[in-house]
Amino acid sequence: SPKKGDFDHYLSTIAVPQVRELLTRYRPDILWWDTPTHMNPERTRPFVEQVALRPEIITNNRLGPGTNGDTATPEMFVPATGLKGDWETCMTMNGHWGYNAADHNWKSSAELIRLLAKICSKGGNLLLNVGPTAEGEIPVESVERLREIGRWLRVNGDAIYGTTAGPFDHLSWGAVTRKGDR
């Protein structure tokens, strides 16, 4: 077993072989990284070599330095004017990525809906984190918000689904999306 803190040994004997298995045995169309901490070009290179086995695969920009991927993934903020190319903001419903029983600082459904509209108006997608409990249950607060967002989308989904960035860089009063040439 690797020594505690032997990150390079872990990468070479566990992580890289697992990525190779995923890419050759399961052949996914999308691979989302979440690994830029402690990565450098030397550590990133073996993963880039593995991804070359599936040149058509879609990846994000979180493998490490020098690897842009196909999609940008800003975390916990919305770029002021969006980004060029495909992107999605990664956001939590409260202050934590995983379940945290002590975190009661939930964003309201209205705030999450405004966030969704704002991101879509800038040409992005929203990746909204839901952290299950240790028992695998989705917290009631998350369920409530997801249901409210779903009700809003049933009425207003045409303004979100299949849209692109609106024509305005900034509006003080809301968000505008575009669909087709309208």
Side-chain angles (χ1 to χ4, degrees):
S1 74
K3 297 175 189 170
K4 183 177 180 181
D6 192 345
F7 188 58
D8 291 315
H9 183 78
Y10 163 78
L11 290 177
S12 66
T13 62
I14 297 173
V16 170
Q18 285 181 342
V19 167
R20 182 176 183 81
E21 179 182 7
L22 286 170
L23 294 171
T24 57
R25 184 173 179 188
Y26 299 100
R27 304 186 51 78
D29 295 321
I30 301 170
L31 182 59
W32 247 225
W33 306 104
D34 196 18
T35 59
T37 303
H38 306 298
M39 295 300 281
N40 58 38
E42 183 181 315
R43 289 174 171 161
T44 302
R45 191 172 304 110
F47 293 99
V48 171
E49 291 168 358
Q50 296 306 310
V51 170
L53 297 169
R54 296 287 314 277
E56 70 283 0
I57 198 165
I58 298 169
T59 63
N60 66 350
N61 64 337
R62 290 183 172 216
L63 176 56
T67 57
N68 294 329
D70 302 296
T71 301
T73 54
E75 187 172 293
M76 299 298 280
F77 77 96
V78 180
T81 57
L83 297 172
K84 293 199 183 307
D86 295 327
W87 64 277
E88 67 181 8
T89 286
C90 309
M91 185 67 66
T92 60
M93 289 189 182
N94 57 17
H96 289 84
W97 288 105
Y99 175 73
N100 185 311
D103 186 352
H104 301 291
N105 190 25
W106 294 93
K107 295 171 182 74
S108 70
S109 297
E111 185 179 356
L112 293 169
I113 290 166
R114 282 191 301 271
L115 178 70
L116 173 63
K118 180 179 181 180
I119 290 168
C120 291
S121 79
K122 296 174 186 304
N125 292 312
L126 172 61
L127 183 153
L128 186 59
N129 181 74
V130 177
T133 67
E135 294 77 28
E137 296 176 3
I138 304 297
V140 170
E141 296 86 354
S142 294
V143 172
E144 290 169 351
R145 282 152 181 80
L146 292 170
R147 283 192 175 135
E148 289 174 14
I149 293 167
R151 282 193 288 274
W152 185 87
L153 283 169
R154 276 193 287 287
V155 173
N156 301 287
D158 282 345
I160 301 297
Y161 297 119
T163 63
T164 59
F168 310 109
D169 285 337
H170 174 73
L171 290 174
S172 60
W173 50 265
V176 176
T177 58
R178 180 180 281 167
K179 192 175 276 190
D181 59 359
R182 297 185 270 155

